[in-house]
Amino acid sequence: MTDPRSPALGRRAVLAGAAAAPMLMTLDQARAQGIAPRRGGVLNTIITPEPPLLILGVNNQGPTLIVGGKIYQGLVKLSPRLEPQPELARSWSVSPDGRVYTFTLQDNITFHDGRPCTAEDVIFSVTKFHMEVNPRARAILERIEKAEAPDPKTVVFTLKAPFEPFLLIFDVTACAIVPKHLYDGTDYRNNPNNSTPIGTGPFRLAEWQRGNFIRLARHEQYWKPGQPYLDGIIYRVVPDSQSRALALQTGQVQMTQFNDIEPFDVPRFQAMPNLTVATDGWELFSPLSWIEINHRIKPLDDARFRRAMAHAVDRTFIAQRLWFGVGRPATSPIASTTRFHDPNVRMPDFNPREAAAILDGMGLRPNANGVRASIKMMQLPYGEVWNRLSEYLRQALRQVGIAVELESTDVAGWVRRLANWEFETTINFVYQWGDPTLGVERTYVSSNIKKVAFTNTAGYVNAEVDRLFAQARDEPEAEKRRALFSEVQKRLVADVPLVWLMELAFPTIHEKRLRNVITTGTGVHSSFDDVFFAS
């Protein structure tokens, strides 16, 4: 049986595109339940940290994706089960050989400057703009052999070879459609229009006071009649976490998201009757945290030592006592919300006695102070909860005789040291992007050992793992890919190249009168064209 969280994205996606049921209830159904969408009102929320710019592709940091997802759109959006659903593409079909994808665009799509969005804009965005500025998208888009526009509403992509997760790249967070008439023939990264983003989304940039707020206003020519329901959205820049929590508590803002609220503050907001605390909407991203381990340093190069570290860490404690249930303990290198996760593969359990036995077997006997080995851990400078995690890991590893020296740095220093392999261990987390080929492979294949952050900076090498990832990447059938990825998970768990800790799920906290906030697998990154205040 196919796992419902892992739908095939190839030929079976024809049905999803041609006759996709809407994610939300119809307007008539909503009225029958007494919650018909109401037009009007401005949503006040927070963005942390402030994005450097809002051009998706040129910048792909989390805050840029959240705000930019209201300004731009992709050809598809993704359900919580990562099923592609219509967005700018009304429908699509896939050829029997899995190589030709034909998209039909919606009617009356206009950019914020009033110009129509056509197939030429789509082809330009996919084959030129994102190919140059967007490294994550480029690896997939390079598989396109040719792109054609038979008419203004039809786009045809022919792939060099079948690529089963191809449709996942067309969500706005990966491949936003930009206006060809403003970017073609220019320096995309330094185009003057980057200060005033122009997209097809339900909201346009109205005002940006740096360090204060970003104000979006309704796109009056939006292609969905009667939408968006909100008059606008104001993203307030509030650097201090206590001030963010106070703004939510007092109603100055009606919603927070991502890492606005520290996990240890979540329980008090869960107790407030006027608020909803949601942890879904991260299915595409499925951020997974781990202890990053530099395999170039002894004894970290020994799988036995890494396994002992894994046995020493109580992941349930981390999820429940540090993150207060916002997320879940990791079980393997592929998150449970990512396609092809194998629930039968389990990483080493919490067992300090087994950890000590492994270290004894390595000849690492405790000295007079009970210390068997000493390592350094570079702390992740992303907030208080990450500091608490480092402190817990130091204590947990000390219990089995591994002394940990914590090292502090700022964000820029952390990224530089990670990229240059100037660490022994650190805490890291990355997005998995819905499919292991798109977001997991990069961390483990030896061809990606580079002095670049968020690659295989651990220096892990396993030729069989390389082969399995490559075979799964090129395999056109979903079920065969599933078998390959199951074997990948087994081999990675056996090697323990990293110590996986938690599947993160950042909380979205909003007033209950704010409806339709989380309806897709991208949550607060989606367009918000159907979000409304119920009263």
Side-chain angles (χ1 to χ4, degrees), residues 159-181:
L159 305 186
K160 299 171 185 175
F163 184 60
E164 197 265 338
F166 185 58
L167 284 170
L168 285 176
I169 200 64
F170 291 111
D171 176 77
V172 65
T173 58
C175 198
I177 303 306
V178 301
K180 178 180 179 180
H181 63 276

Side-chain angles (χ1 to χ4, degrees), residues 249-482:
Q249 181 176 334
T250 59
Q252 297 175 58
V253 299
Q254 295 85 47
M255 185 181 80
T256 59
Q257 61 224 314
F258 193 37
N259 60 354
D260 292 341
I261 302 299
E262 294 278 7
F264 46 78
D265 278 332
V266 170
R268 68 184 173 103
F269 290 114
Q270 289 174 322
M272 295 180 64
N274 66 314
L275 296 178
T276 293
V277 178
T279 56
D280 49 352
W282 290 91
E283 291 80 9
L284 174 65
F285 311 103
S286 297
L288 187 71
S289 66
W290 58 64
I291 302 176
E292 182 107 359
I293 299 172
N294 192 336
H295 291 216
R296 306 165 188 87
I297 297 172
K298 294 184 178 298
L300 299 170
D301 62 334
D302 193 319
R304 294 174 297 171
F305 189 84
R306 301 192 298 268
R307 179 169 291 274
M309 291 176 63
H311 278 304
V313 176
D314 187 346
R315 298 183 303 281
T316 300
F317 176 89
I318 292 172
Q320 296 300 322
R321 300 296 296 276
L322 297 183
W323 260 263
F324 293 86
V326 182
R328 68 190 78 180
T331 60
S332 91
I334 297 180
S336 61
T337 47
T338 298
R339 302 176 75 223
F340 309 120
H341 166 79
D342 188 341
N344 297 314
V345 177
R346 310 287 293 188
M347 64 176 292
D349 59 353
F350 174 52
N351 190 335
R353 288 186 178 180
E354 180 63 21
I358 291 172
L359 295 172
D360 283 340
M362 293 179 64
L364 295 174
R365 300 285 180 175
N367 63 17
N369 296 318
V371 175
R372 302 169 182 270
S374 298
I375 62 174
K376 296 178 180 179
M377 180 174 290
M378 181 171 61
Q379 295 177 268
L380 183 65
Y382 281 9
E384 178 60 28
V385 70
W386 297 101
N387 293 333
R388 296 185 183 190
L389 174 60
S390 295
E391 290 290 349
Y392 164 73
L393 293 173
R394 179 168 67 174
Q395 295 174 21
L397 292 171
R398 184 64 179 82
Q399 292 299 311
V400 299
I402 300 174
V404 177
E405 177 188 344
L406 298 181
E407 301 177 302
S408 298
T409 185
D410 58 15
V411 173
W414 181 86
V415 172
R416 178 188 57 77
R417 289 183 58 185
L418 177 70
N420 290 326
W421 311 339
E422 296 171 358
F423 68 97
E424 294 189 8
T425 67
T426 188
I427 309 300
N428 198 357
F429 72 89
V430 301
Y431 289 172
Q432 300 206 335
W433 299 112
D435 189 281
T437 293
L438 305 183
V440 179
E441 173 186 316
R442 57 178 168 162
T443 303
Y444 305 102
V445 293
S446 59
S447 60
N448 208 34
I449 298 176
K450 301 175 181 177
K451 287 197 170 183
V452 177
F454 311 115
T455 59
N456 183 355
T457 44
Y460 171 66
V461 178
N462 184 313
E464 183 61 13
V465 168
D466 288 349
R467 185 192 68 80
L468 289 166
F469 269 121
Q471 191 174 345
R473 186 191 319 137
D474 295 332
E475 172 56 54
E477 296 296 331
E479 289 310 309
K480 292 181 180 179
R481 296 183 77 221
R482 179 185 304 283

Side-chain angles (χ1 to χ4, degrees), residues 40-44 203 215-218 229-234 533:
V42 173
L43 169 60
N44 284 273
F203 298 95
R215 182 170 66 86
L216 307 182
R218 177 191 288 124
Y229 300 123
L230 295 172
D231 292 331
I233 305 174
I234 297 177
F533 286 105

Side-chain angles (χ1 to χ4, degrees), residues 38-324:
R38 183 178 69 88
R39 190 177 172 95
V42 173
L43 169 60
N44 284 273
T45 182
I46 292 173
I47 195 68
T48 307
E50 182 176 19
L53 71 162
L54 295 175
I55 311 300
L56 301 191
V58 175
N59 184 273
N60 294 307
Q61 293 174 300
T64 302
L65 297 178
I66 290 172
V67 181
K70 316 297 176 289
I71 297 172
Y72 295 96
Q73 291 178 296
L75 290 178
V76 305
K77 59 185 177 182
L78 301 171
S79 78
R81 297 196 306 175
L82 304 185
E83 300 160 323
Q85 299 204 333
E87 188 76 320
L88 290 181
R90 183 177 66 201
S91 62
W92 56 88
S93 62
V94 185
S95 64
D97 65 358
R99 291 185 57 224
V100 182
Y101 287 72
T102 303
F103 294 89
T104 301
L105 302 183
Q106 304 280 2
D107 295 328
N108 304 316
I109 306 173
T110 61
F111 287 106
H112 298 154
D113 61 2
R115 294 279 291 269
C117 174
T118 70
E120 292 295 336
D121 295 289
V122 174
I123 289 177
F124 167 76
S125 299
V126 171
T127 64
K128 291 187 176 181
F129 185 83
H130 287 285
M131 276 288 289
E132 179 173 324
V133 303
N134 191 342
R136 182 170 73 84
R138 184 186 308 130
I140 292 90
L141 301 180
E142 284 176 340
R143 294 173 172 269
I144 297 174
E145 183 176 90
K146 62 179 177 178
E148 302 168 289
D151 59 65
K153 288 184 57 180
T154 305
V155 180
V156 181
F157 294 117
T158 302
L159 305 186
K160 299 171 185 175
F163 184 60
E164 197 265 338
F166 185 58
L167 284 170
L168 285 176
I169 200 64
F170 291 111
D171 176 77
V172 65
T173 58
C175 198
I177 303 306
V178 301
K180 178 180 179 180
H181 63 276
L182 295 180
Y183 282 92
D184 196 15
T186 73
D187 178 353
Y188 305 146
R189 291 181 177 85
N190 297 299
N191 188 304
N193 293 290
N194 288 353
S195 61
T196 55
I198 300 293
T200 63
F203 298 95
R204 58 177 177 81
L205 178 63
E207 184 180 7
W208 189 349
Q209 289 190 12
R210 295 278 180 173
N212 193 4
F213 65 83
I214 300 170
R215 182 170 66 86
L216 307 182
R218 177 191 288 124
H219 174 27
E220 297 293 353
Q221 294 178 286
Y222 187 51
W223 56 272
K224 288 187 182 181
Q227 291 180 248
Y229 300 123
L230 295 172
D231 292 331
I233 305 174
I234 297 177
Y235 288 93
R236 302 192 179 278
V237 180
V238 186
D240 178 66
S241 63
Q242 292 184 349
S243 298
R244 295 194 295 269
L246 182 62
L248 179 63
Q249 181 176 334
T250 59
Q252 297 175 58
V253 299
Q254 295 85 47
M255 185 181 80
T256 59
Q257 61 224 314
F258 193 37
N259 60 354
D260 292 341
I261 302 299
E262 294 278 7
F264 46 78
D265 278 332
V266 170
R268 68 184 173 103
F269 290 114
Q270 289 174 322
M272 295 180 64
N274 66 314
L275 296 178
T276 293
V277 178
T279 56
D280 49 352
W282 290 91
E283 291 80 9
L284 174 65
F285 311 103
S286 297
L288 187 71
S289 66
W290 58 64
I291 302 176
E292 182 107 359
I293 299 172
N294 192 336
H295 291 216
R296 306 165 188 87
I297 297 172
K298 294 184 178 298
L300 299 170
D301 62 334
D302 193 319
R304 294 174 297 171
F305 189 84
R306 301 192 298 268
R307 179 169 291 274
M309 291 176 63
H311 278 304
V313 176
D314 187 346
R315 298 183 303 281
T316 300
F317 176 89
I318 292 172
Q320 296 300 322
R321 300 296 296 276
L322 297 183
W323 260 263
F324 293 86

